Amino acid sequence: MSEPTGAARRRGPFQVGDQVQLTDPKGRHYTFTLESGKNFHTHKGSFPHDELIGAPEGTVVRTTGNVAYLALRPLLPDYVLSMPRGAAVVYPKDAGQILAMADIFPGARVVEAGVGSGSLSTFLLRAIGDQGMLHSYERRADFAEIAAQNVERYFGAPHPAWRLTVGDLQDNLSDTDVDRVILDMLAPWECLEPVSKALVPGGILCAYVATTTQLARTVEAIREHGTFNEPSAWETMVRTWHVEGLAVRPDHRMIGHTGFLLTARRLADGVEPPMRRRRPAKGAYGEDYVGWGTAKDSGAAGDTGAAKGTGAAKDAGAAKGTGTAKDAGVATDTGTAKDTGQDAPSGDA
């Protein structure tokens, strides 16, 4: 049985064509490709590539300036952060969440829209393996070219499970029986109809968006479309720690917000999503809102609290609870008529 694509490049002694990541005494990384007869140069001196070719990972090499560098193959998170970019890359923390929460499995049939520089494509291809299928769509030809080069450089050859199409997903999607769809684009709500047709029942839609307005519009569009279950949305933040003897504390810098993720699952054909039974915050829906789950759209006055549930009349005290008439004493308790001893209201009132 042959090894999966790229596996041979991840183990064994260094070979010509391998990517090498050097770490200097200050923890800084330098990545390059091994070539016979070449030298690696830094401001602290140089050393020949041949010194690493045939050596095991974890070797320490010294430059002509007597500075030690640790040599290892870059991990995939290291690779995607150092590779050439056309567009911003999907950070490893978000790629890991996508692989886990979108349940990317070996042999999965996946559609991806918005390839960028190929970061997420590389993660997806390694997860689905040679027996899977990844069809990626990218609107810009220049981004697609950079992504293809980055993916091929990582695996050492074109990946047999990858197909890359230049064009809009909503205009070109012809795939059927798709297990997962990943949307990394400006307006994922525009693709819900073709995505819904492509996904198998139980399949997962995962969207990666940058702003709260994109997140809100995508979630509402998924709810209104009616072929998905209630979406889940979240973000992740990574904080590293400084550990030095007794000085154990969070680092001063962290990887904060990069984007929002949301997932939703495809329902069986002809099935309507179950009614949400939860009480939204007061003012979450305006009087003119007619989206899914509101009183106007679904008659969910009691269920969503659009009319009764939020306590617009009783619970909030708009009539009685706040005492606008009796409890606050506007008429009686404040004495505007009787208590102050004034005459009854004049005819002007």
Side-chain angles (χ1 to χ4, degrees):
M1 181 177 178
S2 61
E3 286 191 308
T5 300
R9 296 168 57 89
R10 310 305 306 160
R11 62 168 72 98
F14 288 119
Q15 302 174 22
V16 172
D18 282 354
Q19 294 279 311
V20 176
Q21 178 178 268
L22 299 179
T23 305
D24 71 8
K26 291 186 177 180
R28 293 173 296 199
H29 293 161
Y30 306 87
T31 303
F32 66 99
T33 302
L34 282 177
E35 297 181 52
S36 182
K38 291 289 186 72
N39 289 330
F40 177 79
H41 293 272
T42 75
H43 64 291
K44 297 292 186 179
S46 63
F47 68 88
H49 288 202
D50 291 336
E51 192 172 333
L52 281 177
I53 296 173
E57 280 195 83
T59 295
V60 173
V61 293
R62 290 187 175 273
T63 66
T64 53
N66 200 34
V67 176
Y69 287 84
L70 174 63
L72 294 165
R73 289 186 175 91
L75 303 177
L76 181 52
D78 300 319
Y79 176 79
V80 299
L81 293 177
S82 64
M83 67 188 188
R85 300 187 185 185
V89 299
V90 174
Y91 269 70
K93 74 179 185 70
D94 295 318
Q97 287 280 307
I98 291 171
L99 295 183
M101 304 305 287
D103 192 38
I104 307 298
F105 57 90
R109 295 160 297 182
V110 182
V111 166
E112 172 197 19
V115 175
S117 298
S119 167
L120 183 58
S121 302
T122 310
F123 277 100
L124 292 171
L125 286 168
R126 200 170 71 168
I128 65 175
D130 293 357
Q131 304 305 313
M133 183 280 291
L134 175 63
H135 192 171
S136 302
Y137 293 83
E138 172 55 54
R139 297 177 61 183
R140 293 184 50 169
D142 54 338
F143 287 175
E145 182 178 356
I146 293 173
Q149 293 172 356
N150 285 332
V151 171
E152 185 171 339
R153 184 182 300 111
Y154 177 78
F155 289 104
H159 200 286
W162 194 34
R163 183 154 59 105
L164 178 59
T165 296
V166 177
D168 289 326
L169 177 138
Q170 57 264 44
D171 298 330
N172 295 278
L173 181 59
S174 59
D175 302 273
T176 57
D177 296 327
V178 174
D179 298 306
R180 308 289 185 258
V181 174
I182 315 296
L183 302 179
D184 176 13
M185 55 197 305
L186 285 174
W189 53 86
E190 295 178 352
C191 301
L192 293 183
E193 186 60 28
V195 165
S196 176
K197 293 179 179 178
L199 276 172
V200 298
I204 298 176
L205 164 64
C206 178
Y208 179 63
V209 295
T211 68
T212 54
T213 51
Q214 289 173 300
L215 176 65
R217 185 164 180 180
T218 304
V219 169
E220 295 298 342
I222 289 173
R223 289 170 176 165
E224 292 174 13
H225 195 268
T227 60
F228 297 91
N229 74 334
E230 175 66 9
S232 299
W234 72 97
E235 67 172 336
T236 60
M237 290 173 279
V238 175
R239 184 174 70 174
T240 56
W241 279 66
H242 170 89
V243 181
E244 193 71 39
L246 296 178
V248 180
R249 56 168 175 75
D251 282 331
H252 298 306
R253 298 180 64 183
M254 66 179 293
I255 303 175
H257 174 76
T258 51
F260 298 102
L261 286 166
L262 66 93
T263 57
R265 301 193 69 175
R266 176 70 159 84
L267 301 176
D269 291 336
V271 174
E272 293 185 2
M275 181 64 64
R276 289 186 302 151
R277 294 184 178 273
R278 66 185 187 192
R279 182 175 296 180
K282 298 171 184 177
Y285 296 101
E287 294 181 357
D288 59 342
Y289 181 81
V290 293
W292 186 87
T294 60
K296 291 183 180 181
D297 180 66
S298 62
D303 294 336
T304 64
K308 293 181 181 179
T310 57
K314 293 184 179 180
D315 295 342
K320 293 184 179 180
T322 57
T324 51
K326 294 184 180 180
D327 295 342
V330 173
T332 304
D333 294 344
T334 58
T336 52
K338 295 182 180 180
D339 293 348
T340 58
Q342 295 181 3
D343 295 334
S346 65
D348 292 340

